[in-house]
Amino acid sequence: MDLQPPPDTALPDRQRFYQAIDRHHLTPLWEVLHALVPSQPQSPCVSAHWPYATVRPFLLASGQVISAEEAVRRVLVLENPALRGQSAITQSLYAGLQLLLPGEIAPSHRHTQSALRFVVEGQGAYTAVNGERATMRPGDFIITPSWTWHDHGHTGQPGDSVDSSGPVVWLDGLDIPLVRFLDAGFAENGAVRSQSVTQPEGTSLARFGHNMAPVRQDAPATLHSPLFSYPYERSREALDTLSRNAPLDPWDGVKLRYVNPVTGGAPVPTMAACMQLLPAGFAGQPSRQTDGAVYSVVEGEGEATITSSTGTSHRFTLSACDHFVVPSWHTLQLASASGCVLFSFSDRPVQQALGLHREERLP
Ligand code: GTQ
């Protein structure tokens, strides 16, 4: 008489089956399906905060360890604590703080990765893009789009007026992990250390930065903004005016995004950037987005409470020049007793182009 096999003998059979197919580089979907197609984003990233009081001494010490020229780019990378060794702050984005000292040059190169700069501290440095220099002042937002030649320099001298005799520090945001994921990275070094200036500073701003555009000379057919520099004084003035004249957004305070003035789209195709003002006494409501974002505190003080979908929560006390990261689908709640200005960037245009972007504003 045949005995029914006990139910648990199915398991060894399964394991034997898995071993048999494993040798042929086959694996059963049903063991991983739930993780492959999660019911909601389950980012491996964690929220993190880099107080400037902690980072600045190391950044200045890096200036004693290596020259900008030898380093090519003297940057301390902000690595997500859960992605150590990957030079990534989120799954798609890279962030770092770059230091340039008076008289230094970071030599000309170009790469398919798009970059944005947000100036954190100091006077006297410039970024040159496509033959035009953009002076870097704290709060300025500057782009170096994919495959454009760019170099950085600090024209100050150690003995100069206090204004330009000090270090200049800026936040670099690049789509390095995204381009790496797509295996689409190319790079070249320039034939000269610094590209020659072919148009005076301010030319691009005059052409495209005043809600006007050239008449006969069509806007260049590029995916990126024809404007390379977005000066802080203008963004700040816009936020100030809106904080007085318009209703506050209960989640964001006053928040504007940087645009390509020709298309209204993002300044570079892979990254969006925003500037926001939290007025004194602001206590924001929580929201979450599928685009993880990197923040730079421009002015003032505040608090960011970031909670993962599993309920792990961190509250960061923010001061000027601090940086922090909000991973995908983590709720962010912002508050400021005395007022605060925040810069942020994310991969939102990529998600929007692919129809993937989602946002949830919680009560
Ligand atoms: O300034 O070109 O932080 O190529 C990383 C890679 C900055 C740059 C970074 C880069 C740059």
Side-chain angles (χ1 to χ4, degrees):
M1 184 173 108
D2 278 339
L3 287 173
Q4 281 291 103
D8 62 353
T9 59
L11 199 62
D13 273 355
R14 253 185 218 178
Q15 293 304 337
R16 266 201 303 280
F17 172 69
Y18 295 167
Q19 282 168 10
I21 65 171
D22 182 67
R23 272 178 262 127
H24 303 281
H25 314 119
L26 295 167
T27 195
L29 171 65
W30 57 88
E31 290 289 340
V32 293
L33 183 58
H34 55 289
L36 283 185
V37 188
S39 59
Q40 56 177 328
Q42 288 172 358
S43 178
C45 302
V46 293
S47 61
H49 176 213
W50 290 264
Y52 203 50
T54 306
V55 174
R56 190 175 189 271
F58 292 123
L59 208 46
L60 295 183
S62 76
Q64 308 300 313
V65 171
I66 193 165
S67 70
E69 185 132 22
E70 192 193 343
V72 182
R73 297 295 184 261
R74 185 175 50 215
V75 177
L76 296 186
V77 180
L78 306 180
E79 276 197 325
N80 193 289
L83 302 176
R84 294 309 309 271
Q86 297 183 40
S87 301
I89 191 159
T90 68
Q91 292 268 75
S92 60
L93 297 174
Y94 158 104
L97 289 167
Q98 184 159 174
L99 171 74
L100 211 54
L101 296 171
E104 286 193 317
I105 275 173
S108 182
H109 71 186
R110 63 177 178 174
H111 36 71
T112 50
Q113 293 83 355
S114 298
L116 58 82
R117 330 277 168 192
F118 186 72
V119 186
V120 170
E121 172 186 2
Q123 305 282 343
Y126 65 84
T127 286
V129 191
N130 282 352
E132 185 177 341
R133 286 184 178 181
T135 299
M136 301 175 99
R137 297 184 192 83
D140 289 355
F141 169 65
I142 292 166
I143 58 167
T144 57
S146 178
W147 212 239
T148 53
W149 292 107
H150 55 280
D151 50 83
H152 316 291
H154 192 319
T155 55
Q157 298 300 323
D160 269 6
S161 72
V162 257
D163 251 352
S164 58
S165 66
V168 173
V169 175
W170 65 85
L171 172 69
D172 282 324
L174 287 93
D175 52 13
I176 288 174
L178 178 66
V179 173
R180 181 170 57 199
F181 178 76
L182 298 170
D183 283 337
F186 293 88
E188 274 178 10
N189 287 322
V192 289
R193 290 193 322 152
S194 304
Q195 59 185 284
S196 43
V197 175
T198 57
Q199 60 181 3
E201 171 153 17
T203 308
S204 304
L205 190 68
R207 270 200 191 109
F208 296 102
H210 299 273
N211 302 315
M212 303 179 92
V215 179
R216 284 190 188 77
Q217 170 199 346
D218 276 344
T222 53
L223 289 170
H224 60 78
S225 172
L227 211 50
F228 295 112
S229 175
Y230 298 72
Y232 184 46
E233 57 186 20
R234 294 173 152 230
S235 340
R236 186 73 169 88
E237 191 195 339
L239 295 178
D240 263 341
T241 303
L242 290 173
S243 73
R244 288 191 305 270
N245 295 359
L248 275 185
D249 181 273
W251 289 268
D252 292 335
V254 184
K255 188 169 185 175
L256 294 173
R257 64 187 174 91
Y258 292 91
V259 296
N260 173 338
V262 177
T263 63
V268 292
T270 49
M271 291 182 285
C274 292
M275 176 86 79
Q276 80 192 95
L277 184 149
L278 312 179
F282 183 75
Q285 287 170 219
S287 68
R288 55 183 177 176
Q289 279 85 21
T290 49
D291 53 328
V294 180
Y295 284 77
S296 182
V297 183
V298 193
E299 290 180 50
E301 281 163 6
E303 261 183 13
T305 307
I306 302 165
T307 309
S308 75
S309 49
T310 57
T312 310
S313 194
H314 290 108
R315 175 174 297 192
F316 302 136
T317 302
L318 309 174
S319 298
C321 309
D322 284 6
H323 293 84
F324 64 98
V325 60
V326 185
S328 167
W329 217 236
H330 284 47
T331 61
L332 169 66
Q333 192 164 15
L334 293 166
S336 177
S338 55
C340 186
V341 179
L342 300 171
F343 168 84
S344 58
F345 73 95
S346 79
D347 63 8
R348 185 173 300 197
V350 178
Q351 299 206 16
Q352 287 176 328
L354 303 179
L356 295 172
H357 187 258
R358 284 203 203 185
E359 176 181 45
E360 196 171 79
R361 303 190 118 193
L362 305 161

